[in-house]
């Protein structure tokens, strides 16, 4: 039985912004606006106490003004209640999309209604001040069981690259507003129990990590801790007894035990070990 009776090509896209980079926001909006084959509405959450500094009159946008900074998870919870299409996206400010990305994902999801989350291969860049350099492509895992195994120890999806089937999303009550960071891995761990997760093999998305103003050590520790807590809560006992999870838990525990003032090189060494052994 079909879970989504709509056969049109309408798509809602959630973007949350703290209103600190108008250029990146405009680039993302223009990239989305160039998409082919779909009718898009952008749900833009302004998570700040100031007005959006971008002229958005040429875009199909619904603005949600928080009036102050309430954080990403609570902003996402606000936005999800405004989604009116059977499938939707969440995209980060600064991300760029291929013109065919949304129609390719929409077609694939409608072709297999057992898929709840569909990502795509993402080109990853690193930007240091005005210099932007290609870093790598995100993982391509085309086997569902392998993808689930990856979730035990790492996040194989770039959250800005995913399209979500709202039926399954609602089935697990969407984002958990008590999870303030790493809310994406928390969602994947819950939703995988009711549907499949997949990745399209095409490079259809671009995400840039910024060295300047990047995530702080405190926030990074919070994210690592939150992801570990979600895995401890939602992985089965059998999954937690596997070698990959034990390796992940030990190395993650070492990361969390190192105080913020400790030698940064040692912290990077542990991160490198984790990357090599549990990738």
């Amino acid at each position: 039985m079909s879970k989504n009776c709509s056969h049109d090509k309408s798509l809602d896209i959630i973007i949350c912004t703290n209103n600190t980079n108008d250029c990146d926001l405009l680039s993302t909006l223009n990239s989305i606006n160039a998409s082919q084959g779909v009718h898009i509405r952008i749900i833009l959450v302004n998570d700040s106490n100031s007005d959006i500094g971008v002229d958005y009159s040429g875009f199909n946008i619904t603005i949600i003004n928080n009036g102050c900074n309430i954080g990403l998870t609570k902003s996402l919870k606000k936005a999800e209640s405004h989604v009116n299409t059977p499938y939707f996206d969440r995209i980060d400010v600064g991300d760029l999309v291929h013109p065919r990305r949304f129609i390719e994902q929409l077609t694939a999801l409608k072709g297999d209604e057992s898929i709840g989350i569909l990502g795509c291969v993402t080109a990853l860049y690193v930007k240091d001040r005005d210099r932007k350099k290609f870093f790598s492509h995100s993982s391509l895992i085309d086997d569902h069981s392998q993808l689930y195994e990856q979730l035990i120890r790492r996040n194989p999806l770039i959250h800005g690259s995913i399209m979500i089937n709202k039926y399954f999303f609602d089935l697990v009550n969407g984002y958990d507003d008590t999870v303030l960071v790493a809310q994406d891995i928390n969602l994947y761990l819950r939703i995988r129990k009711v549907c499949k997760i997949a990745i399209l093999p095409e490079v259809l998305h671009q995400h840039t990590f910024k060295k300047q103003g990047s995530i702080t050590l405190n926030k990074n520790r919070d994210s690592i801790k939150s992801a570990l807590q979600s895995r401890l809560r939602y992985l089965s006992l059998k999954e937690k007894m596997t070698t990959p999870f034990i390796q992940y838990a030990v190395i993650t525990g070492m990361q969390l035990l190192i105080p913020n003032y400790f030698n940064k090189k040692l912290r990077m060494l542990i991160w490198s070990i984790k990357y090599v052994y549990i990738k």
Side-chain angles (χ1 to χ4, degrees), residues 63-127:
I63 301 288
I64 301 173
N65 287 304
N66 290 343
C68 62
N69 181 264
I70 65 173
L72 177 58
T73 304
K74 289 184 182 344
S75 296
L76 288 167
K77 288 301 290 184
K78 272 187 150 184
E80 71 182 48
S81 65
H82 289 259
V83 173
N84 295 323
T85 54
Y87 307 94
F88 71 97
D89 276 66
R90 168 196 164 186
I91 291 183
D92 284 344
V93 171
D95 285 3
L96 302 176
V97 300
H98 189 281
R100 297 287 300 171
R101 179 194 145 180
F102 299 131
I103 190 61
E104 295 288 344
Q105 287 182 305
L106 201 56
T107 301
L109 283 170
K110 288 183 177 182
D112 185 349
E113 290 192 335
S114 67
I115 299 175
I117 289 182
L118 181 63
C120 63
V121 179
T122 300
L124 301 172
Y125 286 78
V126 175
K127 186 175 182 180

Side-chain angles (χ1 to χ4, degrees), residues 115-152:
I115 299 175
I117 289 182
L118 181 63
C120 63
V121 179
T122 300
L124 301 172
Y125 286 78
V126 175
K127 186 175 182 180
D128 187 2
R129 295 184 175 86
D130 294 328
R131 299 180 63 185
K132 182 175 174 180
K133 186 169 66 172
F134 176 74
F135 175 64
S136 70
H137 286 113
S138 63
S139 301
L140 168 60
I141 306 167
D142 54 9
D143 180 84
H144 299 293
S145 60
Q146 288 182 14
L147 199 150
Y148 292 162
E149 288 172 8
Q150 289 286 307
L151 284 171
I152 292 175

Side-chain angles (χ1 to χ4, degrees), residues 4 13 26 100 120 123 135 155 164 175 177 186 196 217 229 235 271:
N4 289 309
I13 297 174
L26 186 58
R100 297 287 300 171
C120 63
F135 175 64
N155 187 351
I164 302 172
Y175 288 105
D177 59 7
N186 179 276
K196 293 192 294 188
L217 284 179
Q229 289 172 332
L235 291 178
W271 183 90

Side-chain angles (χ1 to χ4, degrees), residues 27-68:
S27 294
T28 299
L29 293 177
N30 283 328
S31 176
I32 292 170
N33 220 30
S35 298
Q36 301 169 0
V38 288
H39 176 69
I40 290 171
R41 179 180 67 125
I42 297 168
I43 303 170
L44 182 61
V45 185
N46 177 13
D47 190 32
S48 73
N49 59 5
S50 58
D51 293 334
I52 299 287
V54 169
D55 179 9
Y56 51 82
S57 58
F59 305 96
N60 182 21
I61 288 187
T62 297
I63 301 288
I64 301 173
N65 287 304
N66 290 343
C68 62

Side-chain angles (χ1 to χ4, degrees), residues 159-198:
H159 59 243
S161 75
I162 65 171
M163 185 174 287
I164 302 172
N165 183 321
K166 193 171 184 294
Y167 171 82
F168 294 114
F169 183 80
D170 290 342
L171 208 58
V172 297
N173 298 314
Y175 288 105
D176 184 342
D177 59 7
T178 66
V179 179
L180 301 183
V181 290
Q183 63 285 122
D184 52 342
I185 189 68
N186 179 276
L187 172 65
Y188 307 154
L189 289 168
R190 288 183 292 116
I191 206 170
R192 74 185 181 127
K193 297 179 179 181
V194 297
C195 64
K196 293 192 294 188
I197 300 174

